[in-house]
Amino acid sequence: MASGGGNNRNGTHRNSLKGTTTTSTATDKPLSVNSNPSKPAFKNKSSPLTGASSGLRKSSPGSLGGGAAKDDAGVPGRVRVAVRLRPRNAEESVADADFADCVELQPELKRLKLRKNNWDTDTYEFDEVLTEFASQKRVYEVVAKPVVEGVLDGYNGTIMAYGQTGTGKTYTLGRLGEEDTANRGIMVRAMEDILAEVSPEIDSVLVSYLQLYMESLQDLLGPTNDNISIVEEPKSGDVSLPGATLVEIRDQQSFLELLRLGEAHRHAANTKLNTESSRSHALLMVHVKRTVKGREPAHSSDNGNSTSMARSLRPPLVRKGKLVVVDLAGSERIDKSGSDGHTREEAKSINLSLSALGKCINALAENSAHVPVRDSKLTRLLRDSFGGTARTSLVITVGPSPRHRGETASTIMFGQRAMKVENMLKLKEEFDYKSLARRLDIQLDKLIMEHERKQKAFEVEIERITAEAQNRISEAERNYADAVEKERLKYQKDYMESIKKLEEKWMMNQQNQGNERKMVHIAEEVAEVKKLLSKETSLRKAAEEEVDNLKSQLAQLKMSEALANSEILKLRKMVEDEVCQKEKLEGEISMLQSQLLHLSFEADETRKRLDRGGPGKVPGGLDSPVSQVRSQLKGSGNGEKASVAKLFEQVGLQKILSLLEAEDADVRIHAVKVVANLAAEETNQQKIVEAGGLKSLLMLLGSSEDETIHRVAAGAIANLAMNEKNQELIMSQGGISLLSTTASHAKDPQTLRMVAGAIANLCGNDKLQTKLRGEGGIKALLEIVKCGHPDVLAQVARGIANFAKCESRASTQGSKTGRSLLIEDGALPWIVQNANSDASPIRRHTELALCHLAQHEVNAKDMISEGALWELVRISQDCPREDIRTLAHRTLASSPDFIAGLKRLRIDY
């Protein structure tokens, strides 16, 4: 973090004029974040900001909060911006003694003038203008105190310092004031106010201290936790940091010790602009939880009514606020700061993150529909501070030197755009249900005791009532038994009298019932006959309907039989035609096989004669395509290719590929040779793949046991693998597995050379790196090296160099992290061993592979332990190729691990 005078981290800031006492005036009042600006910022010349109003925006389509929906009402509040001028330091006092300051402050008007030259100035307005004589106390009261008060009231708040390196940002925010308490910065003063307002018994204050270094979020209170993830709530848009250390603060001394611990772990470096320049953005997060006093309902008494009981069930109200103090690393121009090596990379990372923040501020200031919040981790962390729900104060720090006028103007424009950003402040309060639960537990214990007392009294009363009821029941049972006995005797007498009367009536009716029974039996028989007749009639109708249905079905079956017979005749005729066509095709295939055998034989004879140094004489007497084509050849060098091309035109690719599946082994061998010759021509490769030739070649590798077929098929696949689309097809059809299996069974070095060449071509595809390694491609190359043949080793070295080059490119683009897959599969010892091989192709490829592996810093330790450092030094000095020599030299000079290794091994480089 830059600081004033290039030395403000440990130095002091001039506070006031000698002999002058600072008094509180109208301009000393704290700025209210919720108030609207009285005037828009202006310049004395037209600019893009002149016509734009810095007042409150009625709507904000985008924000650093990702456009989260606002579920509840909020209070609008614009980002407040104050500018603070650093006094000249010793170096500027000498270098700029003859030049006026590039800025002029008008604190009473809250204006800043930026000199363009001796005659022309630009004027800007801010919420507060702080001169070089402003005290730390005044800066805190103007910039930070309203935000701290808002955090104590349950709002989120952000205090941030922005400016060029060396302009006093860390002095303003993080000064501890150990020598002079008047120099305490905003962090220390804010914690003093917070601890003075909270109650240790019922409130809590939790602190996290983090730094964003090279796009890696690190915990300054736990240095081992160097990669903290950022989690965003999808509904609320709040940002949380799981895994970050949270420390509860009870007193000011423990907070100061925590700040000292964090500062000790923060990255800093010495540059031309600042002797102790921060190389990371620091974020202090203070979580405050307060119970709202005076609104907690009182406990009800034991004999209170139901209304007071209901009020006592309401939980106490708790407000939660989060204060974020952001000490941004200073922007710097590399040509001015003199950064190089790793410090240069740090400066690039700082400038990129500040650029991403500036883009977001621009988008919010212009009400853009899209805010690029995900371009940097810094903007993701500050998504609530700009365009979100936090109360935000920004202090921009500038220096007086005219040499840095461009950086000063950029800082001022950043502040002007930030003043146009509007936040929607939201109060975060909730009920403390834990406190309510504790109070309800006490109340429940009292109710349980009261219930037990009443339960005991109730049981005694129940026993008394039960005894009294038992006595009454016994008396009622006796009275009931007497009454029942009397009724029984009465009903028995009446029953006997009724029986006698019924017997008399029955005797009289018995005589009349004899005749009636005969008539009833006849009527029942007639009804039964009628039912049987009706049933027979319905059955007859159903049978007639069934007969009609069967007749219609029979007619349909006869028609279907006639159609089927005619269809059978047609099918028989088609089968006979197919048989004739098959016989013709078999005859053509036999003729093609014969021609292919003659052609392959003639091609082999031609190759042998060419190897002996002369074209020889073409044997005659053979009526074949070969003898016809040879008469048309113009020279011996292209005789074989012309013959194959002629066959390709006369026969066709499909018929040649069909011979790859022939049962005759000689036919397959000659056919695969023809396909290999065709694949050597780039114009034929796409036709072979589209006709299924690649699939047939891979099937031959898996099914055939003939090593000649393996050698020629692998060579054809190697030729096809030079095309990127074909490489993906080979991988998708299991080509690496088949090539690895072929290599494991091969004994001929030429076969191994063809297999290694095919795998080497596949190693050059960026998209296939992980899949190739997963299917054993690297291990297959390392198995092939056991052959020891120089030509085979050269192909293996080429494949490893291709793989290392793709990995280096992926690491540079950021799509790959972690150790090299080559190192994980154990290829590094072989590379080091052959880096100084006598064979030029092997040495060239292994040297290139070493240089590409060394480009990624995570591989450095493994390479040093395997002795690759010595080889890199040799390559940088003795390699005949200048590009490889330069690459090795640049890698050694830029890697901290290699530089440390050179010093440890005492290598003079």
Side-chain angles (χ1 to χ4, degrees):
M1 182 68 187
S3 58
N7 199 18
N8 274 343
R9 184 181 290 269
N10 299 318
T12 59
H13 214 302
R14 288 192 296 182
N15 297 336
S16 61
L17 289 172
K18 183 177 181 182
T20 303
T21 303
T22 303
T23 60
S24 176
T25 64
T27 60
D28 295 333
K29 294 180 181 180
L31 297 175
S32 172
V33 177
N34 295 333
S35 64
N36 288 328
S38 59
K39 299 178 182 178
F42 72 90
K43 294 175 61 178
N44 60 350
K45 293 190 175 182
S46 61
S47 69
L49 293 176
T50 303
S53 174
S54 61
L56 296 180
R57 293 180 294 161
K58 299 302 181 183
S59 64
S60 180
S63 72
L64 288 186
K70 298 183 179 181
D71 300 327
D72 52 348
V75 180
R78 178 176 57 78
V79 173
R80 310 293 292 174
V81 181
V83 60
R84 187 180 193 187
L85 175 64
R86 169 182 61 75
R88 287 195 178 192
N89 54 33
E91 190 267 336
E92 290 172 345
S93 298
V94 176
D96 302 331
D98 298 331
F99 300 92
D101 292 347
C102 68
V103 294
E104 178 185 351
L105 303 184
Q106 296 177 333
E108 64 278 272
L109 299 177
K110 297 183 180 179
R111 292 179 181 174
L112 177 148
K113 291 186 176 181
L114 178 64
R115 287 191 176 90
K116 299 174 67 175
N117 48 50
N118 291 335
W119 306 276
D120 195 6
T121 61
D122 290 336
T123 304
Y124 303 88
E125 272 196 1
F126 290 94
D127 295 306
E128 193 64 42
V129 175
L130 302 169
T131 68
E132 65 268 35
F133 309 111
S135 66
Q136 291 282 74
K137 179 179 179 181
R138 170 161 170 72
V139 173
Y140 171 73
E141 290 178 349
V142 169
V143 175
K145 192 167 184 177
V147 178
V148 174
E149 290 173 350
V151 171
L152 290 170
D153 289 337
Y155 293 91
N156 287 346
T158 300
I159 304 167
M160 186 169 71
Y162 178 93
Q164 183 193 7
T165 181
T167 54
K169 297 184 293 301
T170 300
Y171 178 86
T172 300
L173 296 180
R175 186 71 174 172
L176 298 182
E178 296 175 327
E179 297 84 9
D180 185 359
T181 57
N183 290 334
R184 290 169 300 161
I186 288 176
M187 290 182 182
V188 178
R189 294 177 184 271
M191 184 54 68
E192 287 178 353
D193 285 356
I194 291 173
L195 293 176
E197 291 294 326
V198 300
S199 174
E201 292 79 16
I202 59 176
D203 301 334
S204 67
V205 179
L206 300 176
V207 171
S208 295
Y209 200 13
L210 312 166
Q211 72 172 349
L212 183 62
Y213 175 70
M214 300 284 284
E215 281 303 293
S216 174
L217 190 58
Q218 303 174 359
D219 195 340
L220 290 174
L221 305 181
T224 56
N225 191 6
D226 59 356
N227 192 14
I228 300 173
S229 59
I230 302 174
V231 178
E232 301 170 3
E233 294 293 333
K235 293 184 179 179
S236 65
D238 291 338
V239 175
S240 60
L241 306 173
T245 302
L246 277 174
V247 179
E248 186 172 4
I249 302 299
R250 292 287 184 178
D251 52 64
Q252 186 70 8
Q253 187 60 33
S254 63
F255 177 69
L256 291 175
E257 293 175 359
L258 181 143
L259 288 182
R260 292 191 195 97
L261 176 63
E263 286 298 319
H265 294 139
R266 193 171 174 195
H267 290 274
N270 184 7
T271 67
K272 292 180 180 180
L273 297 179
N274 193 353
T275 57
E276 200 170 348
S277 175
S278 298
R279 316 310 290 170
S280 65
H281 308 297
L283 295 94
L284 178 71
M285 295 186 177
V286 183
H287 303 267
V288 181
K289 178 181 177 182
R290 296 185 67 202
T291 301
V292 181
K293 298 180 180 179
R295 295 181 62 179
E296 182 176 353
H299 294 289
S300 63
S301 59
D302 292 341
N303 54 356
N305 55 27
S306 61
T307 304
S308 62
M309 176 68 75
R311 284 199 300 270
S312 67
L313 293 178
R314 293 196 317 222
L317 193 63
V318 173
R319 288 179 177 172
K320 294 181 178 180
K322 181 174 73 173
L323 174 64
V324 180
V325 183
V326 185
D327 185 4
L328 293 174
S331 61
E332 64 183 49
R333 292 180 61 179
I334 294 175
D335 57 344
K336 290 186 178 182
S337 64
S339 301
D340 58 358
H342 188 65
T343 309
R344 185 187 185 97
E345 297 302 320
E346 291 174 338
K348 288 181 180 178
S349 177
I350 292 170
N351 291 339
L352 283 175
S353 61
L354 292 177
S355 175
L357 178 61
K359 290 179 181 178
C360 292
I361 296 297
N362 290 345
L364 291 171
E366 296 170 2
N367 289 334
S368 176
H370 170 68
V371 181
V373 65
R374 297 192 173 275
D375 287 358
S376 170
K377 287 188 177 180
L378 177 62
T379 54
R380 292 177 63 192
L381 289 168
L382 298 179
R383 64 182 303 170
D384 195 42
S385 303
F386 292 97
T389 62
R391 187 190 302 251
T392 301
S393 277
L394 170 66
V395 55
I396 60 173
T397 59
V398 297
S401 175
R403 291 178 297 164
H404 305 307
R405 185 195 175 282
E407 290 81 351
T408 302
S410 176
T411 302
I412 291 172
M413 296 310 297
F414 179 90
Q416 290 287 294
R417 287 189 289 268
M419 290 177 66
K420 295 184 178 183
V421 178
E422 176 192 350
N423 294 348
M424 188 61 65
L425 312 184
K426 291 186 181 180
L427 179 65
K428 294 191 176 182
E429 60 181 14
E430 61 186 23
F431 292 106
D432 190 357
Y433 291 100
K434 292 183 179 179
S435 175
L436 175 63
R438 290 192 297 270
R439 190 166 72 243
L440 290 178
D441 286 340
I442 297 172
Q443 210 166 2
L444 181 61
D445 292 339
K446 293 181 180 179
L447 290 175
I448 290 174
M449 292 175 62
E450 179 66 17
H451 174 72
E452 290 177 349
R453 183 181 63 78
K454 291 182 178 180
Q455 182 71 17
K456 187 173 182 181
F458 177 74
E459 290 176 354
V460 173
E461 182 67 16
I462 288 296
E463 290 178 357
R464 184 187 65 77
I465 294 174
T466 302
E468 183 178 351
Q470 288 292 342
N471 294 332
R472 291 182 180 181
I473 290 172
S474 299
E475 183 178 357
E477 286 178 348
R478 289 194 297 270
N479 294 335
Y480 177 74
D482 295 340
V484 167
E485 183 63 23
K486 290 178 181 179
E487 288 292 326
R488 188 182 67 78
L489 294 175
K490 179 182 177 182
Y491 286 132
Q492 187 175 6
K493 181 178 179 182
D494 293 342
Y495 174 74
M496 295 303 294
E497 292 177 355
S498 298
I499 289 297
K500 289 181 179 179
K501 291 180 180 180
L502 289 173
E503 286 179 351
E504 292 176 356
K505 289 182 180 181
W506 183 77
M507 293 297 294
M508 294 175 64
N509 291 332
Q510 191 68 25
Q511 296 176 357
N512 297 329
Q513 286 178 356
N515 297 327
E516 292 177 356
R517 285 177 182 173
K518 291 181 181 179
M519 296 299 295
V520 169
H521 181 68
I522 294 171
E524 289 176 353
E525 289 181 352
V526 172
E528 186 70 22
V529 171
K530 287 181 178 180
K531 289 181 180 179
L532 291 173
L533 181 61
S534 176
K535 186 175 182 180
E536 288 293 333
T537 302
S538 61
L539 289 174
R540 181 178 177 182
K541 289 181 179 179
E544 290 176 352
E545 292 176 356
E546 186 69 22
V547 169
D548 294 339
N549 190 19
L550 291 174
K551 287 180 179 179
S552 62
Q553 290 182 4
L554 180 61
Q556 292 178 358
L557 288 174
K558 288 181 179 179
M559 292 175 64
S560 299
E561 183 179 4
L563 292 174
N565 289 333
S566 63
E567 189 68 25
I568 289 171
L569 293 174
K570 291 180 181 179
L571 290 174
R572 284 179 179 174
K573 186 176 181 181
M574 290 174 63
V575 169
E576 291 174 356
D577 293 341
E578 289 292 333
V579 170
C580 294
Q581 186 66 22
K582 182 179 179 182
E583 291 175 353
K584 290 180 180 179
L585 290 175
E586 287 177 350
E588 290 181 3
I589 290 172
S590 299
M591 184 181 297
L592 288 174
Q593 288 177 345
S594 175
Q595 292 178 357
L596 183 60
L597 288 174
H598 284 300
L599 178 62
S600 178
F601 174 77
E602 293 296 328
D604 289 342
E605 289 296 324
T606 301
R607 188 183 295 108
K608 290 177 182 179
R609 286 193 299 273
L610 291 174
D611 292 340
R612 288 194 298 267
K617 182 180 179 182
V618 179
L622 294 176
D623 187 14
S624 66
V626 178
S627 59
Q628 297 172 10
V629 172
R630 291 208 175 178
S631 62
Q632 302 173 6
L633 296 181
K634 295 182 179 180
S636 59
N638 58 354
E640 184 178 347
K641 291 184 179 180
S643 301
V644 173
K646 189 69 175 179
L647 178 65
F648 178 63
E649 294 175 0
Q650 292 179 351
V651 177
L653 182 59
Q654 286 290 350
K655 293 183 180 180
I656 294 174
L657 293 177
S658 66
L659 297 179
L660 294 176
E661 302 177 3
E663 296 180 359
D664 191 339
D666 291 335
V667 174
R668 288 200 305 272
I669 291 173
H670 293 303
V672 76
K673 286 181 179 179
V674 173
V675 174
N677 283 316
L678 289 174
E681 295 292 334
E682 186 177 355
T683 56
N684 299 331
Q685 291 178 358
Q686 188 62 27
K687 297 177 182 179
I688 293 173
V689 173
E690 291 176 354
L694 176 59
K695 184 176 181 181
S696 300
L697 291 171
L698 291 173
M699 289 177 61
L700 275 179
L701 282 182
S703 61
S704 177
E705 297 180 357
D706 189 284
E707 187 154 358
T708 301
I709 291 179
H710 287 172
R711 180 178 69 255
V712 180
I717 293 171
N719 288 334
L720 294 176
M722 289 188 291
N723 182 281
E724 185 175 349
K725 292 183 179 179
N726 296 344
Q727 292 171 356
E728 296 178 1
L729 289 174
I730 292 171
M731 291 295 296
S732 64
Q733 296 178 14
I736 282 294
S737 300
L738 292 171
L739 290 170
S740 300
T741 304
T742 302
S744 63
H745 295 97
K747 297 179 181 179
D748 183 7
Q750 293 305 316
T751 302
L752 293 173
R753 183 173 70 87
M754 295 297 181
V755 173
I759 297 177
N761 288 339
L762 294 174
C763 287
N765 192 318
D766 294 340
K767 303 176 183 178
L768 307 177
Q769 294 271 294
T770 305
K771 187 173 181 181
L772 187 143
R773 185 257 184 151
E775 295 184 6
I778 298 175
K779 292 184 177 178
L781 287 176
L782 295 178
E783 286 294 324
I784 292 174
V785 301
K786 296 178 181 179
C787 168
H789 195 280
D791 291 343
V792 178
L793 297 183
Q795 292 299 323
V796 172
R798 183 172 68 87
I800 291 176
N802 286 342
F803 197 95
K805 182 178 180 181
C806 292
E807 278 195 326
S808 175
R809 184 160 52 240
S811 300
T812 303
Q813 295 171 355
S815 59
K816 181 188 182 304
T817 58
R819 297 169 62 209
S820 168
L821 300 179
L822 289 171
I823 295 177
E824 291 184 358
D825 281 359
L828 183 57
W830 185 86
I831 298 173
V832 174
Q833 179 183 355
N834 288 271
N836 199 13
S837 173
D838 294 335
S840 175
I842 300 174
R843 182 175 66 256
R844 182 177 69 255
H845 290 306
T846 51
E847 286 176 345
L848 188 60
L850 274 180
C851 291
H852 283 305
L853 288 176
Q855 291 294 302
H856 197 25
E857 186 70 19
V858 75
N859 298 329
K861 293 182 179 178
D862 293 301
M863 296 185 69
I864 292 172
S865 63
E866 292 292 342
L869 182 57
W870 295 96
E871 291 300 329
L872 286 172
V873 172
R874 180 192 62 76
I875 293 169
S876 69
Q877 296 173 349
D878 302 335
C879 181
R881 285 185 55 175
E882 183 179 357
D883 56 340
I884 300 177
R885 192 168 64 249
T886 302
L887 181 60
H889 177 74
R890 186 172 64 249
T891 301
L892 289 173
S894 62
S895 171
D897 286 339
F898 284 144
I899 293 172
L902 291 171
K903 292 180 180 179
R904 185 171 61 256
L905 298 175
R906 298 180 180 178
I907 300 174
D908 186 11
Y909 182 72

